[in-house]
Amino acid sequence: MNTLVAAANPSEPNTGVNGVALAILIIFFVVVTVLGFLAARWRRGDHLNSLDEWGLGGRSFGTWITWFLIGGDIYTAYTFIAVPAAMFATGVVGGFFSIPYTIVLYPMIFWFMSRLWSVSHRHGYVTSADFVRGRYGSRGLSLAIAITGFVATMPYIALQLVGIQAVLEVLGVGGGSNWFVRDLPLFIAFIVLAAYTYSSGLRAPAIIAFVKDILIYLVVIVAIVWLPSKIGGWDHIFSSAETKMDTTNPKTGKPTGTFLVPPAQNWAYVTLAFGSAMALFMYPHSVTAALSSKSRNTIRKNAAILPAYSFVLALLALLGWVAIAAKTKPIGLDGKANPQLAIPQLFEDQFPSWFAGVAFAAIAIGALVPAAIMSIAAANTFTRNIYKEWIKPDATAAQEAKVSKLVSLIVKVFAVAFVLGMDKQNAINLQLLGGIWILQTFPTIVAGLFTRWFHRWALLAGWAVGMAYGTWKAYGVASAATSHFGGSTAIMPIIGQLGYIGLTAIVLNFAVAAVLTLIFRAAKVPDGKDSTVPADYFADSDDPKVRAYDPDPFPDEAEPGRA
């Protein structure tokens, strides 16, 4: 058993395998694998031969299943690793902004997600791009939203591997010069993930999310209660963190990080939190998790109880400073310091091997659940809004399901190849860029849930301007690790303060859309047909006008060349 001795005299990087912890991890992995395959029999309908069944779980999940599913989708393995790692390395601006961001998020989804659920339930929409197609009568605008969601999701899936890699590295697995042997555990994990996702669809991560979230709650609460008493108390923890953050970094000549948000970074902190909150439920995987619920009231209940995850996330973030006080040395198998290993290394240093194994299992399973949901959501988006809309308009429900299953496999293969074939920093940079991009779909989707005032072509132009500006500004951000796409903050025009690029881009997006809407309306430019009516946005599960799943939700628009 590793105790306080490990904290006082941190060990050198591990070169051997922690057999007990690895065994515990394998046991939990086998359990969730079995659950993943058994999920195909759970609430099974239509043999999973439609996107409603395979991709949305039959739209049948109640409050608690939805709570675990959305929680498992939002609070990923990368969250478990990256948030405390940022606190460990750079302090509150890089790490703790995620707490207010998730607090601001839930009133937002209470406000608009129930409306998206209702109109999607009534019309049989599977993706947010489906809604855009029906609301604006525009294939082009729908395609732009679909491509943005698909592309932004890809690096997000790849980043889930970072969590698994961090666990394996601390366990001592993955060393050696043979790339195949080194990466074999990752291959096995994602082959199994691909198999049970293909077999069971969204039901698999829904069931596995129970195991994942219970483990994370257990591990974080035990750690936050037990570790401070062993390391010297919270006063010592905060003092150690403040000392490290105030220490001058010899490479930059500036403080290592921020213990409290300095006035010069207030705008960056606030805009990052608010912009990230606006962006999160624009991602296809968040929409998929929400649309799988059985009623609009389920969405609203979840908006009320999901903040429990924010509480756990705050505790998790503080573990980054616990690692500082414990003198944790997150050094990888290559002998280089890696803050991403701070939390796995903290658990291995401070806990018995069996409990470290439980913690590692929580992180690894925390990668499998969101990776499954994200790959399903990306596949649904491709199938409905690219394959069905542009390639095979007469595709049947069964053909849609088959294509979506195959695309979900391809997406996972791409994610594995991306992470193993490229530097991890590239995945992180692209995920930051993806957040800027996905935020540019907010005006089209959220504004469309409340008003049809914006012109479809004005929204498309606003989206294009926001995407171009966000990409250009992000390209100019350098960091210690890269010359371009090194972050998501830059000086905001007019205000002159450092702020979130995505939020500045969406202001431009809205402005362009508003101005061009006035111009297009004055010029009487055709604005497309709105397939929805006001009552659609209040429909619930017992609504008699709900359309049974239909692979063609736009039956009145048969013109294949229509924009």
Side-chain angles (χ1 to χ4, degrees):
M1 173 177 176
N2 298 318
T3 60
L4 188 59
V5 174
N9 300 289
S11 60
E12 292 302 314
N14 294 320
T15 55
V17 175
N18 187 331
V20 174
L22 179 60
I24 297 294
L25 172 61
I26 292 173
I27 290 171
F28 276 105
F29 182 77
V30 170
V31 169
V32 298
T33 298
V34 173
L35 289 175
F37 284 109
L38 290 178
R41 302 176 179 273
W42 177 50
R43 297 186 177 184
R44 184 172 180 170
D46 193 31
H47 303 288
L48 303 182
N49 283 331
S50 73
L51 291 190
D52 245 28
E53 289 296 333
W54 183 82
L56 290 179
R59 304 184 195 248
S60 63
F61 298 154
T63 300
W64 290 110
I65 297 173
T66 304
W67 186 67
F68 279 108
L69 184 64
I70 294 178
D73 185 24
I74 296 174
Y75 300 94
T76 67
Y78 186 67
T79 304
F80 203 118
I81 294 295
V83 170
M87 292 286 285
F88 177 87
T90 61
V92 295
V93 174
F96 214 74
F97 87 91
S98 58
I99 313 306
Y101 131 47
T102 56
I103 293 171
V104 170
L105 166 69
Y106 298 119
M108 288 187 183
I109 67 172
F110 184 92
W111 175 54
F112 71 79
M113 280 305 296
S114 58
R115 294 176 69 91
L116 180 60
W117 184 93
S118 291
V119 70
S120 299
H121 188 64
R122 176 168 280 190
H123 287 271
Y125 299 150
V126 176
T127 69
S128 54
D130 276 353
F131 162 68
V132 170
R133 173 76 163 89
R135 181 61 153 162
Y136 299 99
S138 173
R139 299 172 76 212
L141 184 58
S142 173
L143 180 65
I145 300 303
I147 290 176
T148 304
F150 187 88
V151 173
T153 301
M154 296 302 286
Y156 220 152
I157 300 172
L159 277 185
Q160 303 316 308
L161 290 172
V162 173
I164 297 180
Q165 285 179 318
V167 165
L168 294 174
E169 199 161 349
V170 171
L171 279 170
V173 177
S177 57
N178 187 304
W179 69 269
F180 180 78
V181 174
R182 183 178 65 244
D183 296 323
L184 183 60
L186 276 181
F187 292 145
I188 294 173
F190 266 71
I191 288 172
V192 173
L193 170 67
Y196 66 63
T197 302
Y198 187 95
S199 169
S200 305
L202 194 65
R203 287 170 170 81
I207 285 184
I208 295 170
F210 279 89
V211 179
K212 173 252 185 185
D213 291 344
I214 290 171
L215 286 178
I216 285 182
Y217 268 88
L218 171 67
V219 167
V220 172
I221 291 173
V222 168
I224 214 73
V225 170
W226 190 79
L227 284 177
S229 64
K230 297 297 180 181
I231 292 171
W234 284 107
D235 181 66
H236 173 62
I237 290 169
F238 287 124
S239 296
S240 299
E242 185 174 16
T243 299
K244 176 179 177 178
M245 295 304 138
D246 290 343
T247 301
T248 300
N249 185 330
K251 293 182 179 180
T252 64
K254 299 178 180 179
T256 298
T258 52
F259 181 72
L260 296 174
V261 180
Q265 297 192 45
N266 282 346
W267 275 98
Y269 189 84
V270 171
T271 55
L272 268 170
F274 193 70
S276 298
M278 292 172 65
L280 185 56
F281 267 78
M282 298 300 99
Y283 279 101
H285 57 91
S286 298
V287 173
T288 294
L291 295 187
S292 68
S293 60
K294 68 179 182 180
S295 71
R296 67 183 273 122
N297 199 38
T298 299
I299 299 293
R300 295 191 164 199
K301 287 179 180 178
N302 269 271
I305 61 178
L306 275 167
Y309 280 100
S310 298
F311 173 70
V312 173
L313 182 61
L315 300 181
L316 176 61
L318 290 175
L319 289 180
W321 284 356
V322 172
I324 293 174
K327 296 182 173 62
T328 302
K329 288 187 177 180
I331 301 175
L333 294 174
D334 58 2
K336 298 178 181 178
N338 181 1
Q340 302 283 349
L341 305 181
I343 294 308
Q345 191 64 58
L346 173 69
F347 278 98
E348 182 166 69
D349 288 347
Q350 302 296 332
F351 283 102
S353 293
W354 68 268
F355 191 81
V358 173
F360 296 159
I363 298 173
I365 297 170
L368 300 179
V369 171
I373 301 171
M374 290 171 190
S375 64
I376 290 170
N380 288 348
T381 298
F382 174 86
T383 301
R384 289 286 282 194
N385 307 118
I386 298 176
Y387 174 77
K388 166 72 176 178
E389 188 70 50
W390 295 89
I391 299 173
K392 189 173 177 57
D394 60 345
T396 64
Q399 288 172 330
E400 281 187 359
K402 182 177 180 180
V403 169
S404 200
K405 291 176 182 180
L406 291 174
V407 172
S408 75
L409 296 179
I410 295 170
V411 165
K412 295 183 187 72
V413 170
F414 173 84
V416 174
F418 184 87
V419 169
L420 298 183
M422 299 180 67
D423 188 274
K424 294 185 186 69
Q425 189 61 44
N426 291 325
I428 295 171
N429 294 346
L430 285 176
Q431 196 275 327
L432 292 174
L433 184 60
I436 295 170
W437 285 347
I438 200 67
L439 184 53
Q440 306 317 305
T441 66
F442 188 95
T444 300
I445 297 171
V446 177
L449 290 170
F450 294 90
T451 178
R452 186 58 172 79
W453 181 79
F454 286 101
H455 194 284
R456 57 176 176 170
W457 298 129
L459 285 167
L460 186 60
W463 167 85
V465 169
M467 293 283 286
Y469 175 85
T471 305
W472 169 60
K473 293 298 289 186
Y475 179 82
V477 177
S479 69
T482 181
S483 300
H484 303 290
F485 301 114
S488 54
T489 57
I491 298 297
M492 296 182 290
I494 302 175
I495 297 174
Q497 298 287 330
L498 199 65
Y500 181 42
I501 293 170
L503 205 59
T504 307
I506 199 176
V507 170
L508 288 174
N509 187 335
F510 266 118
V512 170
V515 170
L516 288 181
T517 292
L518 294 173
I519 294 173
F520 291 154
R521 296 244 184 270
K524 301 187 184 309
V525 177
D527 196 16
K529 177 184 176 182
D530 183 359
S531 300
T532 71
V533 296
D536 293 346
Y537 298 89
F538 302 95
D540 211 337
S541 54
D542 58 354
D543 192 287
K545 295 183 180 179
V546 168
R547 178 186 296 169
Y549 179 76
D550 184 351
D552 182 11
F554 316 108
D556 298 328
E557 301 176 19
E559 305 167 58
R562 178 167 181 165

